[in-house]
C-alpha cells in the first residue's frame, strides 16, 4: 500500500511554545489529507481536513487559530500547534487518500506523533 | 452524519477461543475499514471491505460486511496472545472528502 510518513514521532515542548508536525505522502499525491487526534484510551477524532492550495476545514470545537494547517504541496501537509498547553498533549495522526474517495481509493495513516506539553 | 458503534469495548479471552467484534454504522458507507492499534503506535490496516457480502481473511482474523444490516464483524479464530491490541472499525463519511469515522475501539486481551 501507499506510504504516509509523519514526523516527528514524538515531541516534548514547554507550555506556550509552538510545535510543527509534518505529514508526507511518499509515493502518491494527496490533494486531501486529514488530521486526527487521539487522547489516551479513546478513539480517533477528526480535527481538520487539509486541502492542497486552499484553507483547511476544521471540525466543530477545533480552534483554527491554535491548530494551523498548511498544505502547500501535493505531498506535504503540516500541523502547527501554537501556544501549546498541557491539555494539547495527545497523539496526532495524519491520513491521506491515494485518490478521490470514489473509485477504489483507500485511506493511509502516518505513524503518529506523540505530543507532550510540560 | 455517519455514526459508528462498536462492541464490545473490552474483550478478555483465553487463547484458543473464538470471538466476534461487531461494528454497526448508521448510514451508507462506501467502505468499512478494520484497524489494529498497539499501545503507543499508529493504526495498522487489517481489512478494507468494499461491498455487501464481502468477506476477507488474514490468518486468525476474518472480516465481513453486510451493507443491508449496516453491520461488519471481525471474527477471531483460536486466539493467540499476539492478537492482544485495540481494534477499530471505521466507515467513510459522506461527501467528497472521504474522512473516516471511527468506532470507540475494542481492547482485546488474550490470556494464556
Amino acid at each position: 500500500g501507499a506510504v504516509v510518513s509523519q514526523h516527528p514521532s514524538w515531541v516534548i515542548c514547554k507550555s506556550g511554545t509552538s510545535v510543527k508536525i509534518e505529514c508526507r505522502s511518499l509515493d502518491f499525491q494527496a490533494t486531501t489529507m486529514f488530521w486526527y487526534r487521539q487522547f489516551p484510551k479513546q478513539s480517533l477524532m477528526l480535527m481538520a481536513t487539509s486541502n492542497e492550495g486552499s484553507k483547511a476545514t476544521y471540525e466543530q470545537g477545533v480552534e483554527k487559530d491554535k491548530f494551523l494547517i498548511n498544505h502547500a504541496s501535493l505531498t506535504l501537509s503540516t500541523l502547527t500547534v501554537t501556544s501549546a498547553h498541557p491539555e494539547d498533549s495527545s497523539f496526532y495522526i495524519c491520513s491521506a487518500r491515494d485518490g478521490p474517495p470514489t473509485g477504489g481509493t483507500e485511506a493511509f495513516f502516518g505513524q503518529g506523533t506523540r505530543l507532550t506539553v510540560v | 452524519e455517519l455514526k459508528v458503534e462498536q462492541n464490545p469495548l473490552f474483550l478478555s479471552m483465553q487463547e484458543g477461543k473464538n470471538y466476534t467484534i461487531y461494528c454497526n454504522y448508521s448510514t451508507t458507507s462506501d467502505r468499512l475499514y478494520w484497524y489494529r492499534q498497539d499501545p503507543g503506535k499508529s493504526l495498522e490496516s487489517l481489512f478494507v471491505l468494499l461491498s455487501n457480502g464481502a468477506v476477507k481473511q488474514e490468518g486468525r482474523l476474518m472480516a465481513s460486511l453486510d451493507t443491508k444490516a449496516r453491520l461488519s464483524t471481525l471474527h477471531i479464530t483460536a486466539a493467540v496472545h499476539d492478537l492482544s491490541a485495540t481494534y477499530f472499525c471505521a466507515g467513510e463519511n459522506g461527501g467528497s472528502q472521504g474522512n473516516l469515522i471511527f468506532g470507540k475501539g475494542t481492547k482485546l486481551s488474550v490470556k494464556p
Side-chain angles (χ1 to χ4, degrees):
Chain A
V3 178
V4 175
S5 177
Q6 195 171 334
H7 179 81
S9 298
W10 59 270
V11 58
I12 301 173
C13 71
K14 290 185 177 180
S15 189
T17 62
S18 295
V19 173
K20 181 186 283 188
I21 302 169
E22 293 187 348
C23 180
R24 295 180 185 273
S25 56
L26 296 187
D27 48 3
F28 66 98
Q29 294 183 332
T31 55
T32 303
M33 291 185 176
F34 306 97
W35 288 96
Y36 296 84
R37 179 168 55 184
Q38 185 181 31
F39 290 109
K41 301 187 189 302
Q42 293 188 24
S43 187
L44 282 76
M45 297 297 292
L46 180 69
M47 296 177 64
T49 301
S50 169
N51 300 295
E52 187 268 337
S54 64
K55 291 183 180 180
T57 304
Y58 291 83
E59 296 299 299
Q60 192 172 12
V62 178
E63 300 175 56
K64 62 180 181 180
D65 294 330
K66 181 172 183 60
F67 298 98
L68 302 180
I69 291 174
N70 188 328
H71 194 154
S73 77
L74 287 172
T75 59
L76 173 63
S77 175
T78 61
L79 169 67
T80 301
V81 183
T82 63
S83 187
H85 289 282
E87 56 264 33
D88 298 324
S89 298
S90 187
F91 194 49
Y92 293 85
I93 308 176
C94 71
S95 171
R97 300 191 75 101
D98 59 349
T102 56
T105 66
E106 185 178 335
F108 297 92
F109 287 82
Q111 305 96 313
T113 298
R114 173 76 57 194
L115 171 63
T116 302
V117 184
V118 298
Chain B
E1 184 180 272
L2 176 69
K3 293 190 187 327
V4 179
E5 289 191 6
Q6 204 173 323
N7 70 86
L9 300 183
F10 299 94
L11 179 54
S12 179
M13 47 189 304
Q14 283 190 310
E15 281 191 328
K17 299 292 187 182
N18 305 332
Y19 211 84
T20 301
I21 300 171
Y22 297 89
C23 178
N24 291 90
Y25 54 99
S26 60
T27 64
T28 302
S29 176
D30 287 340
R31 290 172 200 82
L32 199 293
Y33 298 77
W34 284 97
Y35 293 95
R36 168 181 172 145
Q37 187 178 39
D38 291 296
K41 303 291 186 182
S42 188
L43 302 179
E44 174 190 350
S45 179
L46 296 175
F47 302 107
V48 182
L49 302 170
L50 301 178
S51 60
N52 189 42
V55 177
K56 290 190 175 181
Q57 183 164 4
E58 182 73 34
R60 300 175 187 275
L61 302 178
M62 183 174 69
S64 66
L65 178 63
D66 182 342
T67 57
K68 293 180 181 177
R70 293 179 185 162
L71 170 68
S72 180
T73 61
L74 180 66
H75 187 72
I76 303 156
T77 301
V80 293
H81 179 69
D82 286 352
L83 289 179
S84 297
T86 299
Y87 293 85
F88 291 96
C89 65
E92 290 191 340
N93 205 12
S96 59
Q97 299 292 350
N99 64 286
L100 300 189
I101 303 293
F102 286 84
K104 291 188 176 181
T106 297
K107 185 172 182 180
L108 172 65
S109 176
V110 181
K111 302 183 186 303

